[in-house]
Each structure stands twice: as structure tokens, then as C-alpha cells.
Amino acid sequence: MTDATGLAGPTPSPSPGIPLDARGVVTARRPVNWPRLIATLAVLAISAALAVSIGTNENLHWDIVGTYLFHPQILIGVVVTLQLSIASVAFAFCLGVLLAAMQQSKSPLLRIMAGFYVWFFRALPLVVQLILWFNLALLFPVLGLGIPGTPLFVGWDTNALITPFVAALLGLALHEAAYMAEIVRGGILSVPDGQTEAALSIGMTPGKALRRIVLPQAIRVIIPPVGNQFIMLLKASALVSIIGGGDLLTKAQNIYSLNYEVIALLIVASIWYMAIISITSTGQYFLEKRMSRSTRAATVQGGPAIRASAEV
Amino acid sequence: MNAIIDIHKLKKSFGAVEVLHDVSLSVSPGEVLCVLGPSGSGKTTMLRCINQLETIDAGYILVEGEPAGFTRDHQGGVWLATEAERAAQRRKTGMVFQGFNLFPHLTALGNVMEAPVHVLHRPRAEARQQALDLLASVGLADHAHKYPAHLSGGQQQRVAIARALACDPRILLFDEPTSALDPEWVGEVLGAMRDLAKTGITMVIVTHEVGFARDVADRVAIMADGEIIDCGPAERVLDHPATARAEAFLRRRH
Ligand SMILES: Nc1ncnc2c1ncn2[C@@H]1O[C@H](COP(=O)(O)OP(=O)(O)OP(=O)(O)O)[C@@H](O)[C@H]1O
Ligand SMILES: [Mg+2]
């Protein structure tokens, strides 16, 4: 039998010479970890040297960084970068849902077309695509609606229609849609087949089952990677400067091509990129935490553990 | 005899493996039919064919006289049904799954209201009242606003029964509704099914509960290796099986 405390056997006697603090925790000294100390000092020294050489560099005009940080042109660039990223991520998401739905389709042709799209836009470098869109007029001088072989009903001059902004938007969104399609498809596949079957059994068509039952559940899995893609897109949007997309980097380049303060303006652009991305990443972090919480709540459905705990 | 379900020489293969060989079976309106049989004998597959969750390879299934998966035109020509037509046909049969398959993002009430509101486009208030009544009829009036994750297995399965009833089907299909349950919840689900059987709705129940089949079933069918090896009044089939295979199966069950 055990004693009243529930412990069997003799209680160990306190060994002499072991120092305890007021709460009874053993107080002991920590030995020096030499390798870690040396690594820390080395990293500190290198960082300090870098900071000093940058901070005191005569060629780096911090005062100019200061004057241009909130320059109207730079602010316009920030807005354009945000517009481009938000618009293309939204457009890409819609197209991605469409492509993912096509990949689920019973029609082999639709599946093949969606697969081809994803393959094509993932294989083509974004920069090449941007330049292609920008130069679309070389291929189709006029864009319009009509029946092949007859005059157009309506037509527009391609150069007027495809402004650098439109070319940038098209390039980013079409490229991004290929990745979104894969993310949405992964989300759809993460929802058990039984959900679709239950939806069909209560009389839904496959399309309605996807919209009303599968996608609302898939969205928990889809949102976190979409946040990641948005951050990647924010950075990738700097590429549109090569077609003069009017984004943050384009504006910085425009200014330094006049005043030759290349480094100062690149620093201005970098500060803005880092600020925007830090804010977005923080939002992304909290979103992801919320999503994983609600996903956990949703997936324990029917598991023995929750059944037991729900009843006690 | 006017069967409500008439299965005629149904064949179904997965790849090269034929799992249903010329299954024929008919169910009368208001009848409770229990299907017993060893694991892998094709019980689930047959049920899924009735509800068009699987396509059939040969034979046909008439549900309320209409060929499942097909429509007829005025001249009597037979056409493959469109997705919308198939959805309308499925509405006539409610299905209760082994793993419940409740929608985890909706409450119990939301699960039951989903089809009346979004498939039948009934007014919300009316659908809500009907759903609350259905939940009450399976003993879940107090749990209407809980999410599936916060319900016990037995409660989830009763919500699933209420959901299957929400489109006013004349037929309910059950696929081993109590096999995924802890033993303590089996009784309440079987109880809800007993109550349902008294309402006169047609029920096809795949189950391993021989005692339940004896109590509730009008007829019992025994399946083995993709065939129905015995089918008839519950007492007769359970006590005096017609074939040696059926007898061997039932002996193992007791
Ligand atoms: N989707 C599928 N793909 C391939 N084979 C399948 C599929 N579904 C079922 N089968 C096979 O068909 C046969 C019949 O399966 P079914 O699930 O209908 O049996 P069951 O009688 O319901 O068995 P259980 O009592 O274990 O539920 C089995 O051999 C099974 O492996
Ligand atoms: Mg089965």
C-alpha cells in the first residue's frame, strides 16, 4: 500500500551542500560557453564595423535619404506599388479559383487547358512576360472585337490600351494566377471527399457543392499561403520598373537619373519596401495564427478525443 | 407491385475488378430493408449507386420509377441526365454516412437548413422552423446552435439524420450509421432510426447490428462477394437462411 501522499518508498533526505533559493529552486552557476561567446563577439564586431562604415561613408548622403523619403513622387510610387500588388493578387486569386475549378472538371479538355496554363506561366520568367506584354503592339498593333476575316466592330490602338501600368498588372496577375491555382487546388484537395458527397446527397450540383461547402472550408488552408504570395508579389512588383511601370522603384530610378544620388534613392526605396513588407508580414502572422486555430477546431470533428472531452 | 427502388442487374467495376455482379433488388414504399454482409461484399457500393455517388456500368436503378442518372423525353427516348437533373434525382433519397460527413463550418441548425435554403430556395424563416422541428424530433433541440466539433458522435449522427430528412425525401439510405460510434452512443442513434421507421418512410439500412435488423426490418438482404445471396422477410432470412453461405455468415455474426 502507498502512504497518504501517494508516494511509495522512503522520501529522499535533503542532501547537504545544495543551495536553494527562497522558493526552493536549486541555485547554480552557469559555466562559460566559450564557442558561443566567441561567435557572439565576432558577429557583434562585424556588424559594428559594417554599421560604422555605412554610417560614416562620405559617399552616402543620409540627408538626401531624409529629403526624398517623403518626396511626392516617391509617395506616388509607393501607392502604385501597393495598387499593383493588391490588384494583381486579387485578379490572380479569382483566376486561380477558376483554374482550380477547371482542374477538377470532368472535361479532359478543361483540365488540360488549366494544366497548360499553370505549366506555361510557371515556366516563363516574369521579366520576360512583362517585356512581352509591354511590347504587345509589335504583335497586335490593334486590339478589338470581330470575326476573323471581317473588319473589326470596335478596335483600339494597342499602344494606347497597354500602358506600362496595364502591362505590369497583366504580367504580375497572369504569372501569379498560376501559383494561386496550385494553392487553391491544394486547399480544395484538403477538404475530405465526404464533404462533397454529403453536399451532393442533399441535392446540390457539383458546382454548388464546391462554392457552398468545399471552398468555405478550403479557404482556411488557402489564406496563409495567399498572404505569402502577396508578400512575394510586393517584392516582385519592383521588376516592373524595367518597363517603367511607375512603381516605387521606377520613381526612385527617375529621380536618381536626374540627380545621380543612386545609393540614397535606392535606400529610400528599400526603407519603404521593408516597412510595407514588415507591416504585411505582421498581419500575415496573426492571420495565420487565427487560421490554424480555427482549422484545428474544425478538423477534430468526430475524433474520439473531442468526443470524450466534449462530454465530461 | 410498385417498387420505390428497383435495382435491375446492376454491375459495377472499379478498374478491372467487378465488385457488383448483376445485383437485383426491389424495395416497396414504406418498407425497411436491412442489408447485411461481410466486409468488402459491396454493400456501400450498392448504396452509393442508388444515390448516384458512383456511376453504374450495366443494368439500371429505378427510383420512384425514374431511371437514376437518366431522363426520358416525351417520345420515350432515354438521355443521360445533366448535373442539375441528377441533383434533383438525388434529392429524393437522403443519405446517412458512416463517418457523419457533417459540414464542420456550419452549426447543427446550419447543416439541416443548408439544403432547404440553398437547394430548394425555401424562405429562410420557414426552413429554420422546419430544421428546428427536425432537430427536436431526433432529440437535439438544445444543441441546434453547436458546431459539429462540439457534439458527441451520437449527436453528430442524429444531426446527419435530420439533415438527410430536410429535403423531404421518401427514401433514406443508411451506410453503417453506428459503426464509427463509440458503443455508448449506438443506442441513441438506433433509437432515432426506430422512431423514423414508424413514420412510414422507406429505409435501406446497411448495418452489422443483427439484433436491430431483427427488430426493425421488414425484410433483410444478405450480400456476399458482390451478390445478394438471400433476401426475404427478416425472421425467415435470419432464422432460416436459404443458402449455406448466408447461414455461415450469420453464424459468424452471432
Ligand atoms: N473507390 C474504390 N476504388 C476501388 N475499389 C473500391 C472502391 N470502393 C470500394 N472498392 C472495393 O469494392 C469492394 C466492395 O466495397 P464496399 O465498400 O462496397 O464493401 P462493403 O460491403 O461496404 O464493406 P464494409 O462492410 O467493409 O463497409 C471492396 O473490395 C472494395 O475494396
Ligand atoms: Mg461499407
Side-chain angles (χ1 to χ4, degrees), chain B residues 10 21 25 32 34 49 51 61-62 70-71 81 89 95-96 117 142 144 166 186 195 201 212-213 227 233 247:
Chain B
L10 170 63
H21 324 289
L25 180 72
V32 177
C34 281
C49 286
N51 211 16
I61 301 175
L62 301 181
F70 303 91
T71 50
Q89 290 179 345
M95 180 124 174
V96 176
V117 173
D142 297 338
V186 169
D195 293 344
I201 190 169
F212 174 78
E227 285 169 340
E247 193 178 346

Side-chain angles (χ1 to χ4, degrees), chain A residues 99-121:
Chain A
L99 286 165
M102 281 168 71
Q103 285 176 324
Q104 302 281 304
S105 160
K106 279 192 189 144
S107 151
L109 189 67
L110 287 181
R111 283 203 306 270
I112 290 170
M113 304 260 279
F116 177 81
Y117 181 100
V118 171
W119 166 78
F120 182 82
F121 281 96

Side-chain angles (χ1 to χ4, degrees), chain B residues 5-12 22-26 46 49-50 56-63 65-70 72 78:
Chain B
I5 302 175
D6 192 356
I7 304 177
H8 182 82
K9 296 206 168 163
L10 170 63
K11 281 189 209 286
K12 171 69 190 173
D22 292 326
V23 168
S24 295
L25 180 72
S26 63
M46 181 179 77
C49 286
I50 297 174
I56 65 182
D57 296 324
Y60 59 80
I61 301 175
L62 301 181
V63 177
E66 264 192 69
F70 303 91
R72 279 195 266 237
V78 174

Side-chain angles (χ1 to χ4, degrees), chain A residues 106 191-209 211-217 220 294 296-311, chain B residues 48 51-53 83-84 86-88 90-91 93-95 97 99-106 111 114-115 118-119 121 148-156 163-164 167 180-182 185:
Chain A
K106 279 192 189 144
V191 178
D193 287 345
Q195 291 291 311
T196 306
E197 292 176 355
L200 294 179
S201 81
I202 57 172
M204 289 191 182
T205 57
K208 185 167 269 183
R211 281 197 310 280
R212 292 228 25 110
I213 303 300
V214 176
L215 281 180
Q217 294 179 60
R220 299 167 199 282
S294 48
R296 247 178 287 130
T299 49
V300 290
Q301 176 204 17
I306 189 78
R307 263 186 271 152
S309 65
E311 288 299 304
Chain B
R48 289 168 58 87
N51 211 16
Q52 300 184 46
L53 293 176
E83 288 295 353
R86 282 151 58 89
R90 280 200 195 94
R91 228 171 285 154
T93 51
M95 180 124 174
F97 299 85
F100 326 140
N101 297 2
L102 289 183
F103 307 133
H105 59 303
L106 301 175
N111 268 274
E114 183 66 19
H118 295 285
V119 177
H121 305 291
H150 300 128
L151 294 171
S152 74
Q155 290 167 339
Q156 290 190 49
R163 177 179 70 181
C167 280
L181 295 177
D182 292 340
W185 314 128

Side-chain angles (χ1 to χ4, degrees), chain B residues 9 15 37 76 92 98 133 167 192 196 209 219 221:
Chain B
K9 296 206 168 163
K92 294 190 284 192
Q98 185 171 356
D133 292 347
C167 280
L196 259 178
E209 309 273 343
R219 279 194 310 150

Side-chain angles (χ1 to χ4, degrees), chain B residues 154 178-179 181-192 209:
Chain B
T178 57
S179 304
L181 295 177
D182 292 340
E184 52 195 310
W185 314 128
V186 169
E188 62 188 40
V189 172
L190 293 182
E209 309 273 343

